[in-house]
Each structure stands twice: as structure tokens, then as C-alpha cells.
Amino acid sequence: MNFKIEKGWKELLGDEFEKEYFVRLTEFVREEYRTQQIFPPEAQIFNAFDFCPLADTRVVILGQDPYHDLGQAHGLCFSVNDGVPMPPSLVNIFKEIGTDIGSPMPASGNLERWARQGVLLLNATLTVRAHQAASHQNRGWETFTDEVIRRLAAAKEHLVFMLWGAYAGRKSALIDASRHLVLTTAHPSPLSAYRGFFGCRHFSQANRYLTEHGSRPIEW
């Protein structure tokens, strides 16, 4: 497995890569790439970190699992490559952005432009078998990404965490809400978006908080 990761993140997380659970995870993932079709492509596993250096990170959006159909996942949660149809959850995210701050529906669902502004688009699990949702859960990725959230929240001040759905919402226990803005609501999936995601106005709240604490707003 390719462990090339942005320098700041490597310094923050370096000892995690040496722990026993991560060694076992590495062995599992390496064998999966050797014998199965796995998403995202191996070189893109750590794209969330590489597109959003630690020093630039201002917002965290947490997903659960990479997309598991061909050509979709590229290492950023909720994002798809240019030219790939937007999954329903991503469509709903852009609908809420339109309602919240008036931005039009974009032509592409590629969220690299958010990552390059300091939005960490982190899935709790960083790999998945083709067409088998949740197939790499409970193998060690969650231990790693929980530590990412914990260390990030301890190392920086005035971040915005967007935690959508019950699974992501439980990660709020890793974050000191007196030092950061923690926004929780329903997941943008069509099954739950009408239970609170639509109308949550997380994007304007995030920008207002960033501005109040001396940081530039995100161009959503």
C-alpha cells in the first residue's frame, strides 16, 4: 500500500503507521488490491490529505465509505471524478448549497476545489471492494481516521466539522466543541435528507464561523 502522504499529516500521524493494527490493516489492504478490484485506485487512497495539507485545513466533512462503483471514488468523500454522474447524496448536497447560499448546481461533482481551499474530505474507511459497500469496514481504517480527527482537533483551533448522519455524528465525541464548530444533522442520502439535512444551512454557518475567526470563507 502506498503511504506517500502530505508532510504535515505525516508529522502529525507518523507513529500511527507503526502501530500493530495499522500493520495488519496494511497487509489486508495490500492483499485486497492484489486479488480484488478495489476503489479508489491505490495511489489515491490518501488524496484527502494530499489535496488538503494539514496547515491549510479549516473544515472537515466526514463520510463513511468510498463509492464502490467503477470510476467514482478518488479518495475524497462524497466527490466523484469529472465526467462521472453525481450520486444522489452529492446532488442533495449541492441542492442544499443552492438553497443556503445561492450557488448554482455545478457541472461536475469533483470536490477537489473544496479540498484545495482547506476542506478535508475524509471517509472513515478509505478503501472498498468493487460493488460491495462497507466491505473494508472494521479492518482498522476507522481506528486510523478516528485518530486523525482526534489529533487534528487537538492540534488546531476554530475548525468546522460537518458530521452528517448518525455514524458521522458519533465522531463528535472526539472533538472539543468549545474550540471548534461542530455541525450535525441528517445524512444527505435521499433516504434521510428530508429529516434535517435540507435546511440545515451548514455551509453559510461554516463560512460565518470562519470569517468570525479571521479565516476566509469557502467558495462552495
Side-chain angles (χ1 to χ4, degrees), residues 52-72:
C52 182
L54 175 63
D56 298 338
T57 301
R58 300 181 291 141
V59 178
V60 180
I61 297 178
L62 185 67
Q64 187 166 354
D65 218 31
Y67 295 125
H68 54 80
D69 286 334
L70 186 65
Q72 292 181 311

Side-chain angles (χ1 to χ4, degrees), residues 9 48-49 52-60 115 117-120 152 156-159:
W9 289 110
F49 305 97
C52 182
L54 175 63
D56 298 338
T57 301
R58 300 181 291 141
V59 178
V60 180
Q117 295 179 74
V119 181
L120 180 67
L152 175 63
K156 303 194 79 168
E157 299 275 353
H158 307 312
L159 300 174

Side-chain angles (χ1 to χ4, degrees), residues 109-218:
N110 190 329
L111 302 181
E112 287 181 21
R113 63 190 182 278
W114 292 3
R116 295 189 187 281
Q117 295 179 74
V119 181
L120 180 67
L121 296 163
L122 181 67
N123 276 313
T125 302
L126 299 188
T127 54
V128 69
R129 278 191 187 185
H131 317 303
Q132 296 183 43
S135 50
H136 283 187
Q137 289 183 7
N138 302 314
R139 292 286 187 166
W141 278 130
E142 297 92 338
T143 302
F144 174 71
T145 53
D146 278 2
E147 193 64 19
V148 170
I149 296 168
R150 185 181 293 108
R151 293 193 190 191
L152 175 63
K156 303 194 79 168
E157 299 275 353
H158 307 312
L159 300 174
V160 179
F161 290 85
M162 296 184 179
L163 308 178
W164 301 330
Y167 179 88
R170 288 193 290 273
K171 306 297 183 180
S172 63
L174 306 172
I175 304 159
D176 183 349
S178 70
R179 297 174 59 191
H180 306 286
L181 177 63
V182 180
L183 300 172
T184 60
T185 191
H187 194 275
S189 161
L191 297 175
S192 57
Y194 287 96
R195 299 174 189 163
F197 181 79
F198 288 139
C200 70
R201 298 194 175 275
H202 280 186
F203 304 94
S204 60
Q205 289 185 64
N207 279 352
R208 186 162 54 250
Y209 181 85
L210 292 171
T211 301
E212 288 171 354
H213 291 91
S215 187
R216 68 191 185 282
I218 303 295

Side-chain angles (χ1 to χ4, degrees), residues 72-89:
Q72 292 181 311
H74 63 131
L76 307 177
C77 74
F78 293 106
S79 179
V80 291
N81 287 297
D82 291 325
V84 176
M86 293 186 205
S89 291

